[in-house]
Amino acid sequence: MGLISSKKNPDPEAPSSTEPSFGKPKVAPELGRLLSTYQLIPSFKECAELHCFADDVEKAKLLPPPVPPTTKKHEIFDINKYKKVDERAVKAPSKLLKQPLSNLVEYLTEGLEDDLSKVRAIYRWVTCQPVDSMKIPNKEPSQSHTMFQLWRIKHRKGNYAQLISLLCRFAQLPCIIIHGKLKGSTYEVGEKLDEEQHYGEWNAVLVDGNWRFINAYWGTCAEGGTEEEMWEVVDKGDGELKGDQQSRQLFYSCDENYFLTDPDQMVSTHLPSQPSWQLLANPVTEDDFTENAFLKDRFFNMNLKLKKPKKCVVMCQSETELVFEIPKERSLNLDFQHLLFRMKSTQGNLPRYDRYVFLQRTNDETLQIRVRSPVADTFRFELVGKDVTVRDKTYDYDWIAIYKLVFGKDDDSIEPFPECPIIGWGPGRAMMEFGLAPMSHFGGEIKNRDDGKIEVKFGTTSDKDWNKVKIHGELVKGGGESEPLPDHVIHRVENGDVIFNVNTPKTGEYALKLYAKGERDKEAKNICNYMITSEQKGENYAFPRGFQGGLGPKEAFNSLGLRALSHQSGMIETDEEVLEISFEKTNENIELSLSLTGNTIRPEMAKRLIEETVEGNIVTYKVRLPQTGNYGIKVMGNRGRGNENVYDYVVQYKKSHKKKSKPSQNAAPEMPKPPPEPQVQRDPRLTEYIQTMKKAIQEQNETDLELALDDLKNLGLPTVKDEIQYGETELDVMRCRRELNEATELKDMDALKSALQLTKTKNVENRLTEEVVRAKAMLDRLRNIAKLMHAVLGLDQKTIAEIRGYQHPPPAVHHVMMASLLLLGHWEEETEKIVKRYKDPDFHCTSDWKNVQIALGKLGKDSIKRKIQELKVNDIPLDVALGARDLIRDFTLDQVRMVSAGGATFYIWVRGLTEEIEKRNAEIVHTVRPRTSQRRKEKTSLG
């Protein structure tokens, strides 16, 4: 081992002088020894027993050898018991800086009898010294003063490990300086550790017969970020991580991770040059240290265990998986987020990087993270987390593990995961706090390989009246276009359980978001989310509209004195063509009625499918279900005050195709049937059915036509094949026309795609030219809006930062951002001063631009990107859209693009959105006055 002068290193841990001076105080014989794993000064001799160098080898031999401690840190140290020790150390008088170290140690250890308290006092005093910001004279202080040691550190002539060693010496505490390699601020995950760049020193102190690790330098300063020239931030997950994770600033606060650190935690970032000073029974090799997963302090704080991958560099094709074990007793209190960085590359583009990461708890004990990429490139993945029960204001998300992910395959078929909600995936704390517990699905992902029909069940853990809790679910399409799919989720409360039923339209990935609003809540809260992965064979229709408030009995059911006799559950699955539903009335004055809805049923025709019979106080309804599909049934009651909803059902009907049973082999053979007699007279029903079919076609009555066709088919006559084919073609035309018109009216992209595909499949496009043209035009408009939204969502952080970074933004930029924020609900009052003189070419924005900067700087659910993504065009008032249009009217796209590329993207978004809203309101747009201020509306309402 060479002298320290041979270690040319810019790290502040490494002193640059040949023989570090420890001052010239008198050293009493009873002082502790100076120990180091390298030859600190030439007079030091090697002590083989301790695997180090010492100023007095014979006395050093009396110390215990470096072996694993017999206890863990948490077994011997409780920070709450050392508050007084800490307070005294932190409040040490500044005059001690101009006195010998012995005086400082005497002050710190006064009244302390045990080794642990003395070590604690020394550590706490050192870690509260703001050396970098402390006013220390450039001129060398007196070597007899404590200030001299701080001066040495600031001028890189000494380091924290040496200071700790000196203080422990005066406190008669055996302490050794350990040197080796560190995974610190200069370390990039997966790289080979350099002898100079990654060099560092730390300590081991003998406490009650066990060697314990201390790194006062790391305990004083927070680690820096990543190499900004090499990586770019592409995702910070949905957690609001405070502060700039890439900053290299030093924060002077005591980090408890580096006081009495357990060996298994220490070796994740510290590799002693002398293996025995790892204090491990099985020391790791340098190759292992380099290749092992880069586990950070929060990993050990949370008591996590790594399942896979064990190496810090992960080579994969298009997707990889990371798995951690969570302590079951703390599972709900641990919150995890992720950050993703991408190696800067000119190849490929991922518009929403966060969408390529899926993080879930598969159960109470396992955390699973899946990362995928459609492009071949290198990414840096960082897992961060915190314990939500910790109330310390300085406690926040911190690193758990860092990986380098190398994807080796370009694959355009790889789509992003559904967007991750704020509270993450799977049952968690939000759900438990609301009083629900999972009964059917305990992880964050639901896999369906059958028919795309899923039932998610929760038990209730509170005594609240769940029939009064407003609950609803939402299904959102995954992939490149994240779109809500209305009416694909329904729910009911049965026997104290809350049950959701989901119909996924087709194969793919979806987000199922569940919401609940209690009696005291101002708005519904997102309580649980699942990612649904469906590999279903066919397609599913949406549930009937109007049933998202919950199935089963309503509040009026009991007050009207009714009892359900046939079906207590609001969800009915049947293969019978005729469904019977019965109720018992205890009040003869109550009148019941039933309405039927479905994808193929027109309201005016539904009554023909319902038959009511009354026997005493029993009311029975026979409901004919025309074809396979989803139907909605609402039962209404009237006690003289108008109709009241008393019961809601959703029926999933699948037409039965039962085959006739084959005769038993032992059964007697059937006698041959005589040949059918020639039909002399035509079946009189045939004429009636054909006339009914023609009338239905003439009246464009879809339901009557379907019933007539069923009747014709049931006759079983081969002679009516042409009539049936003609009727089915007309029925296809009716259905396609209805679906095209409804989808166009609803402006639903999925419904439009489905209707256009159905029209093409049925080969009736030539019969519906006008409807197809309208539908395609509307689909193009919706795609344009989605394209504009994705252009904004695809803006990287640097572009947003460029807009936000303006201190005096050009008028074009702040008008575009003001129009963008107006569409998102920010009125002119928030930024009105910045546009007072926009026609003056020399005008630049004043300090009120900060309002726009604040809006652009928000994270998580309040971020501008999140608000744009969740914005629904129909929710934007016409007058507000016209106001936004007017705000950008005086600027062209080229004018905006010349001063800001990001501003140009927002400009195109505002212009496209406002033009679409004008088209949707073409009939009344000329009667509406543009509005940018909330005040005008208030004055109107008051006057």
Side-chain angles (χ1 to χ4, degrees):
M1 295 184 184
L3 297 176
I4 195 168
S5 59
S6 68
K7 302 182 183 298
K8 298 177 182 179
N9 190 330
D11 194 304
E13 288 288 81
S16 59
S17 61
T18 304
E19 293 187 14
S21 172
F22 290 86
K24 298 180 181 178
K26 293 183 179 179
V27 180
E30 64 272 21
L31 291 180
R33 303 272 53 86
L34 289 173
L35 308 171
S36 176
T37 55
Y38 63 94
Q39 198 170 18
L40 186 61
I41 54 179
S43 60
F44 276 27
K45 303 297 181 183
E46 186 172 3
C47 178
E49 289 79 3
L50 278 184
H51 304 279
C52 70
F53 292 85
D55 61 344
D56 188 326
V57 173
E58 293 305 316
K59 290 186 178 180
K61 290 180 180 179
L62 301 177
L63 297 173
V67 295
T70 57
T71 53
K72 292 283 190 178
K73 173 181 174 177
H74 73 270
E75 297 178 65
I76 64 167
F77 179 70
D78 180 355
I79 191 172
N80 295 315
K81 296 180 179 179
Y82 292 84
K83 287 184 177 180
K84 291 183 178 180
V85 174
D86 287 359
E87 289 174 5
R88 180 173 172 79
V90 171
K91 294 178 180 179
S94 58
K95 65 181 181 180
L96 291 171
L97 295 176
K98 295 185 178 181
Q99 297 179 16
L101 278 178
S102 57
N103 289 14
L104 172 63
V105 173
E106 184 179 350
Y107 167 83
L108 293 175
T109 60
E110 183 179 351
L112 303 179
E113 297 181 357
D114 61 292
D115 293 348
L116 182 50
S117 296
K118 294 176 183 178
V119 173
R120 179 65 187 180
I122 291 172
Y123 178 80
R124 196 62 193 91
W125 180 85
V126 172
T127 54
C128 75
Q129 303 306 308
V131 176
D132 281 1
S133 59
M134 185 181 291
K135 292 183 179 180
I136 299 176
N138 289 328
K139 184 179 178 181
E140 180 178 321
S142 171
Q143 294 189 8
S144 64
H145 291 172
T146 298
M147 179 64 79
F148 172 68
Q149 301 302 330
L150 301 181
W151 176 87
R152 292 182 66 246
I153 293 175
K154 185 162 187 176
H155 290 81
R156 303 178 67 177
K157 297 179 180 295
N159 59 40
Y160 283 77
Q162 294 172 5
L163 175 57
I164 289 286
S165 178
L166 284 172
L167 293 173
C168 286
R169 185 187 191 201
F170 280 98
Q172 298 185 42
L173 296 170
C175 176
I176 183 170
I177 300 170
I178 301 173
H179 79 294
K181 295 178 180 178
L182 298 173
K183 292 182 179 179
S185 60
T186 59
Y187 170 72
E188 184 54 57
V189 62
E191 72 176 353
K192 186 75 174 177
L193 277 80
D194 182 80
E195 184 70 29
E196 295 186 0
Q197 187 180 4
H198 302 107
Y199 175 81
E201 297 182 12
W202 59 99
N203 301 101
V205 182
L206 191 65
V207 178
D208 297 328
N210 288 287
W211 290 104
R212 304 280 181 179
F213 290 122
I214 287 178
N215 188 333
Y217 176 61
W218 281 23
T220 305
C221 308
E223 294 179 58
T226 61
E227 294 292 339
E228 295 180 3
E229 298 79 10
M230 186 175 178
W231 300 94
E232 60 175 332
V233 181
V234 295
D235 174 40
K236 289 189 177 180
D238 284 305
E240 297 181 5
L241 301 174
K242 298 180 181 178
D244 183 0
Q245 296 287 2
Q246 286 188 297
S247 172
R248 292 185 181 275
Q249 279 186 299
L250 301 179
F251 300 91
Y252 288 92
S253 58
C254 178
D255 191 332
E256 296 299 338
N257 283 296
Y258 306 111
F259 179 68
L260 309 184
T261 315
D262 288 326
D264 58 339
Q265 178 176 347
M266 201 69 170
V267 80
S268 67
T269 51
H270 295 61
L271 182 70
S273 294
Q274 176 51 255
S276 60
W277 280 103
Q278 293 180 28
L279 302 183
L280 292 172
N282 298 301
V284 302
T285 66
E286 184 167 346
D287 287 343
D288 290 338
F289 183 71
T290 302
E291 296 174 3
N292 284 349
F294 189 18
L295 304 177
K296 304 288 281 183
D297 300 312
R298 190 58 59 86
F299 173 88
F300 299 96
N301 300 157
M302 288 181 162
N303 296 323
L304 304 180
K305 293 181 180 178
L306 177 62
K307 306 294 284 186
K308 67 174 183 179
K310 301 293 186 178
K311 304 298 183 182
C312 62
V313 178
V314 180
M315 309 295 292
C316 57
Q317 291 299 307
S318 300
E319 183 170 328
T320 189
E321 180 184 64
L322 291 73
V323 181
F324 296 83
E325 184 178 321
I326 313 170
K328 187 174 182 178
E329 66 280 2
R330 297 177 61 189
S331 179
L332 283 179
N333 298 330
L334 302 182
D335 187 44
F336 302 93
Q337 302 290 342
H338 61 266
L339 297 97
L340 189 63
F341 299 78
R342 182 184 183 186
M343 183 76 81
K344 290 184 180 178
S345 173
T346 57
Q347 297 182 353
N349 181 39
L350 303 182
R352 290 293 307 279
Y353 294 92
D354 59 310
R355 296 278 305 280
Y356 290 89
V357 179
F358 175 69
L359 185 153
Q360 66 153 335
R361 291 176 174 84
T362 57
N363 51 50
D364 288 343
E365 299 177 353
T366 306
L367 177 71
Q368 180 203 54
I369 304 135
R370 290 162 57 192
V371 187
R372 59 172 62 149
S373 172
V375 296
D377 210 338
T378 301
F379 291 79
R380 171 185 168 113
F381 177 82
E382 300 183 359
L383 179 64
V384 298
K386 70 174 182 179
D387 186 330
V388 298
T389 62
V390 177
R391 301 303 178 192
D392 187 344
K393 292 181 179 179
T394 64
Y395 180 83
D396 205 344
Y397 288 97
D398 204 350
W399 285 297
I400 292 173
I402 303 175
Y403 285 92
K404 179 186 286 186
L405 309 179
V406 182
F407 294 94
K409 181 181 179 182
D410 287 320
D411 189 346
D412 293 338
S413 67
I414 298 294
E415 290 197 328
F417 292 105
E419 182 162 7
C420 179
I422 296 293
I423 64 171
W425 300 106
R429 193 177 181 87
M431 180 202 65
M432 296 297 290
E433 288 177 346
F434 202 83
L436 294 174
M439 296 178 67
S440 60
H441 299 85
F442 302 90
E445 182 179 15
I446 299 174
K447 295 182 179 180
N448 182 281
R449 295 182 174 86
D450 189 14
D451 55 4
K453 296 179 180 180
I454 302 161
E455 185 169 274
V456 184
K457 192 173 183 180
F458 298 92
T460 56
T461 59
S462 68
D463 57 358
K464 64 179 70 174
D465 186 348
W466 287 93
N467 289 308
K468 293 183 179 180
V469 177
K470 294 183 178 180
I471 303 172
H472 73 276
E474 181 182 66
L475 190 68
V476 180
K477 179 184 176 184
E481 298 176 357
S482 181
E483 303 170 13
L485 302 173
D487 305 310
H488 280 269
V489 185
I490 54 177
H491 78 276
R492 63 193 189 274
V493 178
E494 287 182 7
N495 303 318
D497 299 328
V498 179
I499 305 169
F500 292 86
N501 287 88
V502 185
N503 272 1
T504 53
K506 55 187 178 181
T507 296
E509 293 176 338
Y510 302 85
L512 172 61
K513 302 179 179 182
L514 307 181
Y515 297 85
K517 180 177 181 294
E519 293 182 88
R520 298 181 181 179
D521 295 328
K522 293 182 180 180
E523 59 183 18
K525 299 177 181 177
N526 181 211
I527 58 170
C528 188
N529 307 284
Y530 291 97
M531 182 178 80
I532 297 177
T533 303
S534 177
E535 298 177 5
Q536 66 198 70
K537 300 292 189 295
E539 296 187 5
N540 288 323
Y541 289 108
F543 292 111
R545 292 182 179 173
F547 293 84
Q548 278 59 50
L551 306 180
K554 303 299 179 180
E555 192 172 350
F557 180 76
N558 292 324
S559 61
L560 290 177
L562 299 173
R563 188 163 70 93
L565 298 179
S566 58
H567 297 83
Q568 281 76 36
S569 173
M571 188 72 185
I572 301 174
E573 294 185 14
T574 182
D575 60 358
E576 298 293 335
E577 183 179 358
V578 177
L579 174 69
E580 289 193 11
I581 299 177
S582 300
F583 293 92
E584 181 182 13
K585 300 191 299 183
T586 59
N587 187 339
E588 295 182 357
N589 297 323
I590 301 298
E591 293 184 4
L592 295 181
S593 61
L594 182 146
S595 63
L596 177 68
T597 58
N599 294 329
T600 60
I601 298 178
R602 291 184 177 277
E604 62 271 18
M605 293 292 103
K607 292 182 180 179
R608 302 184 62 173
L609 300 172
I610 303 169
E611 178 185 332
E612 180 188 62
T613 58
V614 180
E615 295 183 5
N617 62 343
I618 306 297
V619 181
T620 301
Y621 295 96
K622 291 184 177 180
V623 183
R624 184 176 176 184
L625 307 174
Q627 64 183 45
T628 296
N630 298 320
Y631 297 88
I633 294 176
K634 283 189 177 289
V635 181
M636 312 299 287
N638 192 328
R639 45 185 160 187
R641 300 189 305 218
N643 282 335
E644 300 175 69
N645 187 198
V646 296
Y647 226 97
D648 278 357
Y649 294 100
V650 163
V651 182
Q652 290 189 316
Y653 169 55
K654 186 173 183 179
K655 197 168 186 177
S656 176
H657 298 284
K658 297 178 180 178
K659 296 182 180 179
K660 293 182 179 180
S661 59
K662 296 181 179 180
S664 170
Q665 293 182 354
N666 299 323
E670 292 185 1
M671 294 295 294
K673 294 181 179 180
E677 294 182 4
Q679 189 173 353
V680 178
Q681 187 175 2
R682 188 177 183 180
D683 192 324
R685 294 175 296 173
L686 179 60
T687 303
E688 177 189 346
Y689 294 160
I690 290 177
Q691 291 300 321
T692 301
M693 182 184 75
K694 290 181 178 179
K695 183 180 179 183
I697 293 172
Q698 183 179 3
E699 295 177 351
Q700 292 293 288
N701 189 318
E702 195 177 322
T703 303
D704 280 4
L705 176 56
E706 188 172 3
L707 293 174
L709 285 170
D710 283 347
D711 290 337
L712 281 172
K713 292 175 184 177
N714 290 333
L715 287 176
L717 299 175
T719 56
V720 295
K721 180 180 178 181
D722 291 342
E723 283 84 352
I724 291 174
Q725 186 175 350
Y726 167 71
E728 287 181 336
T729 301
E730 293 302 311
L731 182 61
D732 287 341
V733 172
M734 288 184 197
R735 285 177 178 167
C736 291
R737 178 183 289 114
R738 173 174 53 79
E739 293 200 16
L740 286 169
N741 289 335
E742 287 179 355
T744 303
E745 182 68 24
L746 291 171
K747 302 173 182 64
D748 186 310
M749 188 179 293
D750 273 343
L752 282 164
K753 290 178 183 177
S754 177
L756 286 167
Q757 181 60 42
L758 179 64
T759 305
K760 184 177 181 179
T761 302
K762 296 296 184 181
N763 197 26
V764 294
E765 290 175 303
N766 61 327
R767 297 276 304 275
L768 300 169
T769 306
E770 184 179 339
E771 289 86 351
V772 169
V773 169
R774 280 205 312 269
K776 287 183 176 179
M778 177 56 71
L779 183 60
D780 287 341
R781 285 162 56 186
L782 294 175
R783 282 174 171 163
N784 183 52
I785 293 174
K787 180 180 178 182
L788 298 177
M789 179 189 73
H790 287 302
V792 175
L793 297 180
L795 291 175
D796 58 26
Q797 289 299 114
K798 290 183 179 179
T799 305
I800 297 292
E802 169 244 313
I803 299 174
R804 186 184 175 207
Y806 280 119
Q807 296 305 313
H808 301 290
V813 173
H814 70 57
H815 267 261
V816 168
M817 298 315 301
M818 191 173 179
S820 301
L821 293 173
L822 178 63
L823 293 174
L824 297 174
H826 295 267
W827 295 104
E828 185 182 42
E829 286 83 343
E830 298 180 35
T831 51
E832 61 180 341
K833 291 183 181 179
I834 68 173
V835 295
K836 288 289 186 180
R837 294 165 39 226
Y838 74 89
K839 292 182 180 179
D840 180 352
D842 296 323
F843 170 71
H844 291 282
C845 298
T846 61
S847 60
D848 286 331
W849 170 253
K850 290 181 179 178
N851 294 327
V852 179
Q853 290 176 312
I854 291 171
L856 291 176
K858 290 184 177 179
L859 300 174
K861 64 180 180 180
D862 295 322
S863 70
I864 189 169
K865 284 189 178 183
R866 176 62 67 86
K867 288 191 173 183
I868 287 174
Q869 187 176 14
E870 295 177 349
L871 182 66
K872 296 180 180 178
V873 179
N874 287 335
D875 291 343
I876 303 174
L878 176 58
D879 55 353
V880 171
L882 296 177
R885 176 202 65 186
D886 288 355
L887 281 172
I888 65 171
R889 174 174 286 170
D890 293 330
F891 304 97
T892 66
L893 175 59
D894 287 338
Q895 287 176 317
V896 181
R897 187 181 283 124
M898 285 179 65
V899 294
S900 172
T905 302
F906 280 101
Y907 176 92
I908 295 172
W909 177 71
V910 172
R911 188 176 65 183
L913 207 57
T914 54
E915 286 176 355
E916 172 62 25
I917 294 171
E918 286 187 73
K919 289 178 183 177
R920 295 188 181 189
N921 298 275
E923 296 180 0
I924 62 169
V925 68
H926 64 281
T927 67
V928 178
R929 177 184 170 190
R931 180 159 67 101
T932 60
S933 170
Q934 195 174 25
R935 291 192 296 254
R936 178 166 67 80
K937 184 177 181 180
E938 292 172 348
K939 290 177 182 177
T940 303
S941 63
L942 291 172

